[in-house]
Structures are given as structure tokens and as C-alpha cells.
Amino acid sequence: MIWCFSRRTGVVAKIIDDYKFNRVQAAADLLSEFLDEALPELPSDTVIVPIPTISKNIRRRGFDHIRKIAIKLSRRRKIECCSLLRRRNNVTQHFTKSSTQRKRQAKEFFEIAGKVDKNKRYIIIDDIFTTGSTVLAAAECLKKNGAKHVEIAVIARHGRPKL
């Protein structure tokens, strides 16, 4: 299952861009509220898993933007947040690639950085869904490492992806 709050247009796009590119950290509260609104009731054994940001972008921003949102969402929902995924590479400019290139590139993005409990429910969160290659690669990585129930929540979808 994939949940999405909105299309990446207008005010939503501005809030995301200000948060990611202009370091408007207060936007994290609002973006976590957007995700909270998009999600249904979740069982208490649910674990929120943020898509890890590449280290270059963390250094530039001074924070991991998705992890920050994930922590706020987990506090709001009173469920666990765990950074179970780690980047295997520092690929940037993923947004400039074609759909086929993105899917191929995403297969090499992630490795497990913790213990996966097959009895827990995992929800991967990210800010923008374009082709889905990043979140689907993350879900595949969790499943290959024992997760039985993996879902995805994104703040906004870009373009016309088929959810």
C-alpha cells in the first residue's frame, strides 16, 4: 500500500522546497502533519523507516530532512522510528534521470543498517514520489532482509505516477 498526502504543486511544493533547499526547519512539523493526515490508524507494532538522505545533502542542509520528519511523525503517532536503511552510495541528481535509469540506479541504493523483525509492520516514508524507484527499492531491501509487511507513505507525488 502507498499513501500520499498531495500532488507536488502549489503550497505543498513550496513548503517541501523551502524545507529541503532553504533550510526552513520549522516546515518539518507541517510536513509530518501532512503525513499523519494521509495515514490511517496504525497498529502499535508499526515502525516508521525514513528513506536515508545522502551524506552530501545532510552536510549541505545541516540535517537529514526525512529522518527529522519521521521522528516527528513517530512522536505524534506514538510508534517507533528506526533508521533501518543505509545508503550504499552517494548518488545525487537522481531526479535528472529517466524512469528506466532511476529504477536501475535505485537497486543499488540501500542496505540494512539494523535488525529487521519479521513480526513488525514497516512504513517507509519519503518526501516526493516521482517514479517510485527509490521507495520501491527500499521496500525490496527490507523484504529481502525478512520484513513481511512493508508499506510506503509520501508527502507528495510528482508528475503522473501510478500509485
Side-chain angles (χ1 to χ4, degrees):
M1 175 63 86
I2 299 175
W3 289 282
C4 179
F5 173 74
S6 174
R7 292 186 60 83
R8 188 182 181 282
T9 60
V11 173
V12 172
K14 173 129 179 59
I15 293 167
I16 291 170
D17 290 350
D18 282 349
Y19 180 56
K20 287 175 71 168
F21 306 116
N22 299 322
R23 297 186 186 112
V24 179
Q25 292 191 46
D29 289 323
L30 186 55
L31 294 171
S32 70
E33 285 180 36
F34 290 169
L35 277 175
D36 188 34
E37 192 174 307
L39 288 167
E41 187 82 20
L42 299 171
S44 61
D45 66 342
T46 301
V47 178
I48 295 172
V49 179
I51 289 290
T53 303
I54 64 169
S55 55
K56 176 183 174 183
N57 288 346
I58 293 171
R59 284 190 303 275
R60 190 179 75 237
R61 285 185 191 113
F63 60 97
D64 183 333
H65 70 295
I66 295 300
R67 187 167 190 283
K68 191 170 189 170
I69 292 169
I71 290 168
K72 288 179 180 293
L73 179 62
S74 74
R75 287 180 184 155
R76 180 183 306 276
R77 288 291 183 113
K78 296 179 175 61
I79 57 177
E80 183 181 355
C81 175
C82 185
S83 296
L84 277 176
L85 298 169
R86 178 174 44 232
R87 288 279 184 165
R88 293 177 63 195
N89 56 42
N90 273 324
V91 171
T92 59
Q93 304 299 316
H94 188 59
F95 64 90
T96 64
K97 307 293 185 200
S98 71
S99 177
T100 303
Q101 290 170 317
R102 290 170 76 108
K103 288 175 186 171
R104 190 177 320 117
Q105 194 177 52
K107 289 180 181 181
E108 301 299 317
F109 277 174
F110 306 110
E111 62 189 11
I112 291 297
K115 186 175 185 226
V116 175
D117 183 338
K118 68 178 181 176
N119 298 313
K120 292 197 176 189
R121 176 181 182 165
Y122 295 95
I123 296 189
I124 296 167
I125 69 161
D126 202 1
D127 54 352
I128 301 168
F129 181 110
T130 303
T131 64
S133 59
T134 300
V135 291
L136 294 174
E140 183 65 25
C141 183
L142 285 173
K143 287 179 179 181
K144 282 183 179 177
N145 285 277
K148 300 287 184 219
H149 192 98
V150 180
E151 296 173 310
I152 297 163
V154 295
I155 298 164
R157 60 184 183 162
H158 186 78
R160 294 179 170 251
K162 293 180 182 176
L163 296 177

